Structures are given as structure tokens and as C-alpha cells.
């Protein structure tokens, strides 16, 4: 087992960050005693009448982490059900983390997050792939990216203290 060098990437100004939202930049606390209580169809319907992200509290750990980062190199790849959820997430990210609207990419399936990173990589053609860091809570997504690219992957637990 090799020693992790992820923290070195965090200190390098060349690093480009790609964050997930739900479970990473935003808490998932929608059930009374569970993290979630709706299926996808019910969630899509509920979004039509309620802004779930409006009053969510951002994580201080990520506010501090992102405070001095170049916001041009901070991106989001997030799964959404519809354009309403996309807009709610964009507003949450701009207000709480200063993430630019144009740096938010939405996907319908988690596997598409790798496509997003590949698209972002085209903006930095000379930058080595290891400097593109996906920060995610889903092991399935992280493994998919790790097994199908040479991008760096970080589980959200690396930020827990």
C-alpha cells in the first residue's frame, strides 16, 4: 500500500477541484430519523413546490478549505432530477461557497461525472491528470473514476477531523 499524497495536491495551486454536492458540500438530512425518505419520482415532484437547498447550512470545513482557492479551478459535478434542482443547487453553491454558476455541471447518471472531468481537463490540456481531483461521498463513483481514468479521487471522509 502506497502512502497517500492527496494532501500534497491540496497544497498545489495547479490543482483543479471537482466536488459532488449531496453528501459533500450539502448535508443530506431529509427524513425525520433517516437521511432520506423519498424515491426519485417523489423527489422530482417535491422540487416543484419546495427549495430544499435554500436553508441548508454549508459545511464549515469546506468553506474554510475553499476560502483561498482559485474559484476558476473549483467545479461541481452533481446529479439532478430536473432544471429546478439544478437552479436550487447553483444558488446554494454561489451563496455559500462562491462557486461560479458556469463551473457547475449536472449529470443524470453518476457515471457521467467522469465525462464532466474529461470536459474540464480540455480547458487545461497541459496539466497532468493527477491534478484533477474528484471529491465525492460515493465509493461507487470514486471507483468508477479511478478504474477508468488517471484522475485523482478523494472520499469526503478525508476532510473529517
Amino acid at each position: 500500500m502506497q502512502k497517500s499524497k492527496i494532501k500534497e495536491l491540496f497544497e498545489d495551486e495547479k490543482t483543479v477541484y471537482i466536488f459532488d454536492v449531496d453528501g459533500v458540500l450539502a448535508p443530506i438530512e431529509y427524513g425525520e430519523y433517516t437521511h432520506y425518505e423519498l424515491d426519485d419520482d417523489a423527489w422530482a415532484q417535491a422540487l416543484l413546490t419546495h427549495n430544499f437547498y435554500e436553508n441548508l447550512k454549508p459545511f464549515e470545513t469546506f468553506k474554510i478549505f475553499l476560502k483561498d482557492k482559485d474559484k476558476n479551478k473549483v467545479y461541481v459535478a452533481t446529479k439532478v432530477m430536473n432544471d429546478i434542482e439544478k437552479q436550487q443547487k447553483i444558488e446554494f453553491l454561489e451563496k455559500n461557497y462562491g462557486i461560479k454558476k458556469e463551473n457547475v455541471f449536472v449529470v443524470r447518471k453518476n457515471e457521467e461525472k467522469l465525462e464532466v472531468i474529461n470536459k474540464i481537463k480540455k480547458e487545461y490540456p497541459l496539466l497532468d491528470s493527477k491534478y484533477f481531483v474528484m471529491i465525492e461521498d460515493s465509493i461507487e463513483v470514486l471507483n468508477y473514476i479511478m478504474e477508468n481514468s488517471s484522475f485523482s479521487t478523494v472520499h469526503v471522509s478525508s476532510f473529517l477531523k
Side-chain angles (χ1 to χ4, degrees):
M1 199 59 105
Q2 294 184 2
K3 183 180 185 296
S4 175
K5 295 184 179 181
I6 292 294
K7 300 237 184 319
E8 291 175 17
L9 292 177
F10 290 170
E11 295 169 4
D12 196 311
E13 65 183 31
K14 293 187 297 281
T15 301
V16 175
Y17 301 93
I18 304 94
F19 285 88
D20 176 44
V21 174
D22 300 301
V24 177
L25 294 177
I28 302 177
E29 298 174 346
Y30 300 113
E32 186 175 11
Y33 293 107
T34 59
H35 70 290
Y36 196 62
E37 63 184 2
L38 305 174
D39 63 26
D40 285 350
D41 292 334
W43 176 256
Q45 276 302 120
L47 286 164
L48 301 175
T49 59
H50 186 75
N51 185 338
F52 289 97
Y53 296 89
E54 185 176 35
N55 296 314
L56 282 183
K57 300 288 184 229
F59 292 115
E60 284 301 314
T61 299
F62 286 118
K63 283 182 76 169
I64 293 166
F65 180 78
L66 290 170
K67 186 177 76 148
D68 297 323
K69 300 292 185 217
D70 178 353
K71 295 302 187 291
N72 293 314
K73 294 181 178 177
V74 177
Y75 295 85
V76 165
T78 184
K79 186 176 173 185
V80 300
M81 295 297 295
N82 53 41
D83 287 339
I84 294 170
E85 184 176 17
K86 175 184 176 182
Q87 189 57 39
Q88 289 180 12
K89 285 184 177 185
I90 287 171
E91 290 170 5
F92 170 81
L93 294 165
E94 286 179 323
K95 178 175 105 178
N96 293 292
Y97 296 107
I99 295 173
K100 297 177 175 191
K101 176 181 183 173
E102 58 270 19
N103 286 6
V104 178
F105 294 87
V106 298
V107 299
R108 301 292 180 204
K109 294 186 225 165
N110 281 325
E111 298 81 26
E112 295 171 3
K113 290 182 179 184
L114 179 55
E115 295 170 27
V116 168
I117 303 170
N118 282 319
K119 183 176 181 177
I120 294 167
K121 170 89 168 89
K122 289 178 183 175
E123 295 179 36
Y124 308 86
L126 302 178
L127 190 59
D128 187 48
S129 292
K130 74 178 180 183
Y131 290 103
F132 294 83
V133 179
M134 180 69 203
I135 301 166
E136 170 73 60
D137 62 324
S138 167
I139 296 295
E140 183 180 336
V141 172
L142 291 171
N143 285 348
Y144 182 80
I145 293 168
M146 180 182 69
E147 292 165 0
N148 294 284
S149 75
S150 54
F151 298 126
S152 297
T153 54
V154 177
H155 189 266
V156 67
S157 64
S158 294
F159 289 89
L160 300 176
K161 294 180 182 186

